[in-house]
Amino acid sequence: MHMDSKDKRKPQLDKNKTFFQSVGHALDGIKRLLLEERNFRIDLVVAIVVLTFAVVMKISINEWLWLFAAFFSVIGSEVLNTVVENVVDLIVGHHFDSLAKRAKDIAAGGVLLSALFAVIIGMLIFVPRFIALLN
């Protein structure tokens, strides 16, 4: 198991023994995403802006459900993209490999598709409201 030189804890070699241990690892992963993944931070900022608009515009419960589906679709695909990138880098290191490039490109494409889904949802919810405000 690869550990950062900054992490002085003893590496865990066995399975998680408690639910709280699992949650701790998950929180470590989210912390790493926030600290190391620029696009993850951008996604969160965009989500906060959109959620602020949603509160101001008093959207319906169904619209809230669609917004959260879009939000978690983008965040989830960003997480999976990061996993793919890290695993590919672990396997190929600093060498070019066409299959590694293909895996990374496909994972990035998944993020792009999720972002497109989110944009469509946002437009369906907010464009009619903005048009109504202009009239």
Side-chain angles (χ1 to χ4, degrees), residues 9 16 18-31:
R9 294 178 291 180
N16 293 334
T18 69
F19 171 76
F20 296 107
Q21 194 175 23
S22 298
V23 170
H25 292 305
L27 292 173
D28 287 344
I30 292 170
K31 178 181 172 187

Side-chain angles (χ1 to χ4, degrees), residues 44-56 59 64 67 118 122 126:
L44 288 178
V45 169
V46 169
I48 290 167
V49 169
V50 170
L51 294 174
T52 302
F53 275 125
V55 169
V56 170
I59 67 172
W64 276 110
L67 270 188
F126 293 113

Side-chain angles (χ1 to χ4, degrees), residues 109-126:
V111 177
L112 186 60
L113 289 172
S114 292
L116 179 61
F117 170 69
V119 167
I120 291 168
I121 296 300
M123 289 177 67
L124 288 170
I125 292 172
F126 293 113

Side-chain angles (χ1 to χ4, degrees), residues 28-47:
D28 287 344
I30 292 170
K31 178 181 172 187
R32 189 166 295 275
L33 284 164
L34 286 167
L35 293 174
E36 298 175 6
E37 296 299 323
R38 180 194 71 230
N39 290 345
F40 185 81
R41 291 190 301 270
I42 291 170
D43 293 339
L44 288 178
V45 169
V46 169

Side-chain angles (χ1 to χ4, degrees), residues 5 7 14 22 27 42 99-100 111 126 129 134:
S5 59
D7 193 350
D14 54 345
S22 298
L27 292 173
I42 291 170
L99 287 175
V111 177
F126 293 113
R129 286 183 163 78
L134 294 175

Side-chain angles (χ1 to χ4, degrees), residues 2-113:
H2 172 64
M3 299 292 291
D4 289 339
S5 59
K6 292 183 247 175
D7 193 350
K8 302 298 183 203
R9 294 178 291 180
K10 183 178 176 186
Q12 179 182 336
L13 301 175
D14 54 345
K15 198 168 169 77
N16 293 334
K17 292 184 180 8
T18 69
F19 171 76
F20 296 107
Q21 194 175 23
S22 298
V23 170
H25 292 305
L27 292 173
D28 287 344
I30 292 170
K31 178 181 172 187
R32 189 166 295 275
L33 284 164
L34 286 167
L35 293 174
E36 298 175 6
E37 296 299 323
R38 180 194 71 230
N39 290 345
F40 185 81
R41 291 190 301 270
I42 291 170
D43 293 339
L44 288 178
V45 169
V46 169
I48 290 167
V49 169
V50 170
L51 294 174
T52 302
F53 275 125
V55 169
V56 170
M57 301 227 170
K58 298 178 180 157
I59 67 172
S60 73
I61 187 69
N62 286 335
E63 291 168 326
W64 276 110
L65 291 171
W66 279 105
L67 270 188
F68 276 102
F71 169 66
F72 283 107
S73 171
V74 173
I75 294 297
S77 62
E78 194 71 62
V79 168
L80 291 175
N81 181 53
T82 300
V83 169
V84 168
E85 288 177 348
N86 281 275
V87 170
V88 166
D89 289 346
L90 176 67
I91 294 168
V92 301
H94 295 291
H95 303 288
F96 177 82
D97 183 281
S98 61
L99 287 175
K101 179 184 181 333
R102 184 187 307 177
K104 286 183 167 188
D105 289 352
I106 290 169
V111 177
L112 186 60
L113 289 172

